[in-house]
Amino acid sequence: MVFSFDDLKVSDKITYQLSPDSIPWFLNTIFQNNKKLCFFCKNNQSMDSLEISLKKINSTINIIKFPSRDFQMFSDLSPTITNQTQRINALTKLTNFKINDTIVLVSFSSLIEMIPPKSSLHNNFIHIKKNCKSLDSNKIEQFLINNSYERVDVVRHKLDYSVRGSVIDIFPSNHEFPIRFDFFVDKIESIRVFDSMTQLSKSNIDNFYLFQASEINLSKELIENFRITYRQENFKENQGIYESISSGNSIQGLENFLPFFFKKLN
């Protein structure tokens, strides 16, 4: 199923007989006239394959993917990092930014999955700019803690961050490479993209957007929602979960408690 973002309508008067191999070409053709499209894919695997095919046809197409969750709810499992970051990146971009020249690929089963309310995603990102004086390292680190980033000694993987004096390294959910920025007195002096394996700089940039790492940010309000609901449901099996989240610490399988954090889900 495909529709244009401009009118958000699906016509029931047009039927396309398409083979799987022809779908990328069909989407690319429509994309030339309608620069904002959404296409529903059968599953996550077909979505990944379609992205690869589209990029082979037109490497300039911007693609946003929203996969279905790759773990079973109410288990002790968490999503893979790839699944987790693709979902939150899509939600953040579609909620906060004007989307142009983009095809959004959505896994069909994700349509029946509940997601956080739009209000929890609105403006929950940081725009970090060179020479910026309105941000200090404490504000940035608190954002990272609240939004499920993990502090480590050396940044190697997505969602890692480290703090060494005036230098902060972050591997953001929405970037291909980690980013290092250096404070001098009260402003950000430099921002560099670096290689996670060699730790060497690749390029200098002037700014970047830092997105949250998970669909759940551990703000005081959401932690209190969790505490109230957890007690109401009378969970007794694992008080460690209650204590960890109450202390603002992320846990394995945090996403399973999504309904506990929000009074209403979308």
Side-chain angles (χ1 to χ4, degrees):
M1 184 182 295
V2 61
F3 61 79
S4 167
F5 272 72
D6 294 326
D7 54 19
L8 291 179
K9 293 180 180 178
V10 181
S11 173
D12 58 358
K13 298 180 180 179
I14 303 176
T15 300
Y16 299 100
Q17 297 294 331
L18 299 172
S19 66
D21 290 339
S22 65
I23 290 176
W25 297 95
F26 168 74
L27 290 177
N28 184 58
T29 300
I30 296 180
F31 181 73
Q32 305 310 313
N33 296 320
N34 301 278
K35 293 297 185 178
K36 292 179 288 185
L37 297 177
C38 180
F39 184 79
F40 296 105
C41 304
K42 182 178 179 181
N43 51 43
N44 291 354
Q45 291 72 31
S46 63
M47 181 177 63
D48 292 339
S49 297
L50 179 56
E51 179 192 29
I52 294 171
S53 298
L54 282 168
K55 287 291 188 180
K56 287 180 179 179
I57 297 170
N58 185 347
S59 61
T60 64
I61 292 179
N62 181 42
I63 296 175
I64 295 176
K65 297 195 297 184
F66 187 68
S68 58
R69 294 185 175 96
D70 63 357
F71 69 101
Q72 186 175 356
M73 288 294 286
F74 301 108
S75 66
D76 59 352
L77 301 176
S78 285
T80 60
I81 295 297
T82 298
N83 183 267
Q84 177 179 325
T85 55
Q86 284 179 350
R87 285 178 59 87
I88 192 56
N89 289 345
L91 291 172
T92 302
K93 289 176 182 177
L94 295 172
T95 301
N96 294 285
F97 298 91
K98 186 176 181 180
I99 302 299
N100 292 310
D101 300 329
T102 299
I103 294 179
V104 179
L105 303 180
V106 180
S107 178
F108 201 79
S109 58
S110 68
L111 296 177
I112 62 172
E113 295 175 343
M114 304 301 288
I115 60 173
K118 188 176 180 180
S119 58
S120 73
L121 300 163
H122 185 63
N123 288 332
N124 193 33
F125 61 87
I126 300 180
H127 189 195
I128 297 177
K129 296 176 286 187
K130 187 177 177 181
N131 297 320
C132 176
K133 293 184 178 181
S134 61
L135 286 172
D136 59 38
S137 58
N138 292 330
K139 287 182 180 179
I140 294 173
E141 185 169 11
Q142 192 59 54
F143 176 89
L144 295 168
I145 293 170
N146 290 349
N147 288 281
S148 300
Y149 283 83
E150 181 179 0
R151 182 164 182 169
V152 296
D153 292 329
V154 179
V155 169
R156 299 287 189 190
H157 308 288
K158 264 191 183 292
L159 313 185
D160 286 351
Y161 81 94
S162 69
V163 180
R164 302 185 310 280
S166 64
V167 178
I168 299 179
D169 290 352
I170 307 173
F171 205 144
S173 63
N174 53 312
H175 286 271
E176 184 179 359
F177 295 99
I179 295 174
R180 174 176 294 145
F181 51 99
D182 193 353
F183 280 88
F184 180 73
V185 189
D186 61 344
K187 70 177 183 180
I188 297 174
E189 184 178 45
S190 65
I191 306 176
R192 290 166 287 170
V193 178
F194 70 95
D195 187 290
S196 60
M197 298 306 296
T198 66
Q199 298 292 302
L200 298 177
S201 297
K202 294 174 63 70
S203 62
N204 295 316
I205 57 176
D206 293 326
N207 67 91
F208 73 98
Y209 287 94
L210 176 61
F211 288 0
Q212 61 192 82
S214 168
E215 293 172 53
I216 301 171
N217 66 84
L218 295 178
S219 64
K220 291 182 180 179
E221 179 186 357
L222 294 190
I223 290 174
E224 185 59 26
N225 288 346
F226 168 83
R227 286 165 57 87
I228 292 171
T229 308
Y230 195 95
R231 292 195 297 265
Q232 289 175 343
E233 295 295 332
N234 199 26
F235 273 85
K236 297 180 180 179
E237 290 83 359
N238 193 336
Q239 283 299 112
I241 293 175
Y242 179 84
E243 297 298 335
S244 293
I245 295 177
S246 295
S247 300
N249 299 318
S250 184
I251 61 167
Q252 181 76 10
L254 178 69
E255 293 77 10
N256 290 287
F257 292 95
L258 183 69
F260 286 42
F261 288 91
F262 302 99
K263 295 178 181 179
K264 183 180 180 181
L265 295 172
N266 289 340

